[in-house]
Amino acid sequence: MTDDTLYARMQDAVDIVANSPHPANKIAATVAGADGGFALSLTNSWPEPIDKKIGRATRIGNSSGTIHAETACLIHAPGPVKNGALFVTDPPCPNCVKNMAEAGIKTLYIDHKGFDKDFAQRRGHHFTSMSMRICEKAGISVYEIWRKEKKLVPILEVPENYTPPLENASLTESAGTAMDHASFAKHVEMRAAHYQDKPFAVAAARDKAGAWFVISAETHPVIGYTSEMPEDLEGKYNVLLQPVNRVIMTAARRGLTIDPAYLYSSIVPTARELVNMTGAGLNKIAIGDINASRDAFGPAALKQLQNAGILDASN
Ligand SMILES: [Zn+2]
C-alpha cells in the first residue's frame, strides 16, 4: 500500500465514525487485504438481531451486546485478512487485538486523534499494558497516523523476520465440493478424537469458488503466546482465545465463509463467543455437552439468545 492509500483508508474509517449507534463510544475501523484487493469500513454496533429482539441496554450473559468496529471488520471482511492491515479511529482493546492476531493482521494504524479525548483515562492503560504486549508477541506493527499532516509515527515496529510462536494452530482441512450433515458429523468425530477432553469447535466454511473447508480449534492462548507462557493479563482480559472465536477468526484469515448449518462446539460457548457468532450471522449451533461450559455466563447468554429466537441450539 502506498502512503497515500494508508491515509485514505484511515479517512474511510473517520468518515463513518459518526454513524456508530453507540451513544458514547463512537469507533470505526477499516480492514484492508494484503494485496489491496479489498477494503471495508465499519463502526462498532449491535448485531441486528440483538438490537431488534433484546435491545441495547441488556447484557448478554457477562458480555456487552456490541461488536467492536475492529472485530466487525474482521468478521465481515470480503477476502482473506491474513497479512492485511487494520485502521482504527481509537487505540484497540485487548480482545480486538487478540482477534487481529488470530486473523493474521500484520499492521495496525491508529488515528492520532484517538490518543486525545479522554483516552488516557478510558483505555490508555489497557492499551499500553496489554494490547501493545499482544501486538509485540503476535508480530503486529503499530503506527500512529496523522491524516492531514500525512505523517506516520511508529509505535511498534516488528522485525521483518519475526515469527510468532504457536503450538496449537487451528486446523483447516480441504473437504471437497460437497457437505452434508452426515459428513460434517464425521469431521466432528475425528476432531473429537484429536482434541480428546479439551473444549473445541468445528465449522464448515466455503471459499469464493464454493469449495468446502473444515476448520477446528481448541481453547488456546492467542498467537504469539504458548501454554509454556500462560501470562495472565488483567481483570476481564486474559490471553486465551475460545474455540468458536478462533474458528471465526480463522475463517476471516483465509477468506472463508462459515455456513451456520455446520457449526459445532463441544461445550456451551462463552457469552462473548455467542455475541460474536450472532454478529457473524451464525444463528445455529450444535453443542456436544449442553451441561458443560467455561463459566455460568455462557449458558445464561445461550438461554437469552434462544428465548429471543436469535439462536437455534441443538445437541
Ligand atoms: Zn475492542
Side-chain angles (χ1 to χ4, degrees), residues 182-196:
S183 54
F184 184 67
K186 271 191 198 124
H187 283 288
V188 170
E189 225 170 87
M190 286 191 289
R191 296 294 101 204
H194 175 78
Y195 294 113
Q196 299 188 340

Side-chain angles (χ1 to χ4, degrees), residues 143-183:
Y143 297 87
E144 186 178 339
I145 198 164
W146 296 62
R147 286 165 284 123
K148 302 250 159 60
E149 296 78 358
K150 303 216 162 184
K151 190 169 77 172
L152 278 180
V153 181
I155 299 176
L156 169 68
E157 286 188 306
V158 175
E160 193 73 20
N161 57 358
Y162 175 77
T163 311
L166 178 67
E167 302 165 291
N168 297 314
S170 55
L171 300 171
T172 308
E173 295 179 315
S174 177
T177 53
M179 180 60 62
D180 57 33
H181 287 283
S183 54

Side-chain angles (χ1 to χ4, degrees), residues 255-286:
L256 303 174
T257 305
I258 296 174
D259 187 322
Y262 304 117
L263 177 62
Y264 172 91
S265 176
S266 65
I267 66 171
V268 177
T270 63
R272 177 34 66 185
E273 285 179 291
L274 290 164
V275 172
N276 284 355
M277 269 181 57
T278 306
L282 301 170
N283 58 0
K284 285 193 194 103
I285 189 164

Side-chain angles (χ1 to χ4, degrees), residues 11 50 77 99 132 144 209 224 227 238 269 285 298:
Q11 188 64 47
I50 291 178
N99 290 338
M132 289 301 294
E144 186 178 339
S227 55
N238 64 61
I285 189 164

Side-chain angles (χ1 to χ4, degrees), residues 215-299:
I215 307 169
S216 65
E218 63 184 301
T219 306
H220 191 271
V222 63
I223 285 178
Y225 289 81
T226 70
S227 55
E228 298 302 307
M229 42 193 272
E231 182 179 354
D232 238 354
L233 300 178
E234 296 164 36
K236 63 178 175 169
Y237 298 110
N238 64 61
V239 297
L240 291 180
L241 214 56
Q242 301 303 324
V244 172
N245 214 18
R246 292 190 71 199
V247 161
I248 292 171
M249 289 305 147
T250 301
R253 169 185 275 262
R254 315 240 334 197
L256 303 174
T257 305
I258 296 174
D259 187 322
Y262 304 117
L263 177 62
Y264 172 91
S265 176
S266 65
I267 66 171
V268 177
T270 63
R272 177 34 66 185
E273 285 179 291
L274 290 164
V275 172
N276 284 355
M277 269 181 57
T278 306
L282 301 170
N283 58 0
K284 285 193 194 103
I285 189 164
I287 298 172
D289 183 353
I290 201 84
N291 295 310
S293 61
R294 185 163 174 258
D295 54 43
F297 298 112

Side-chain angles (χ1 to χ4, degrees), residues 115-125:
F115 290 96
D116 307 339
K117 310 180 190 173
D118 49 350
F119 162 70
Q121 293 145 36
R122 269 196 311 137
R123 300 173 80 180
H125 172 68

Side-chain angles (χ1 to χ4, degrees), residues 68 70 93 96 123:
H68 288 184
E70 306 89 310
C93 76
C96 284
R123 300 173 80 180

Side-chain angles (χ1 to χ4, degrees), residues 7 33-34 38 47 57 65 71 88-89 115 117 131 138 154 168 198 209 255 257 268:
Y7 303 123
F38 67 85
T71 293
V88 200
T89 55
F115 290 96
K117 310 180 190 173
S131 297
N168 297 314
K198 288 171 275 184
T257 305
V268 177

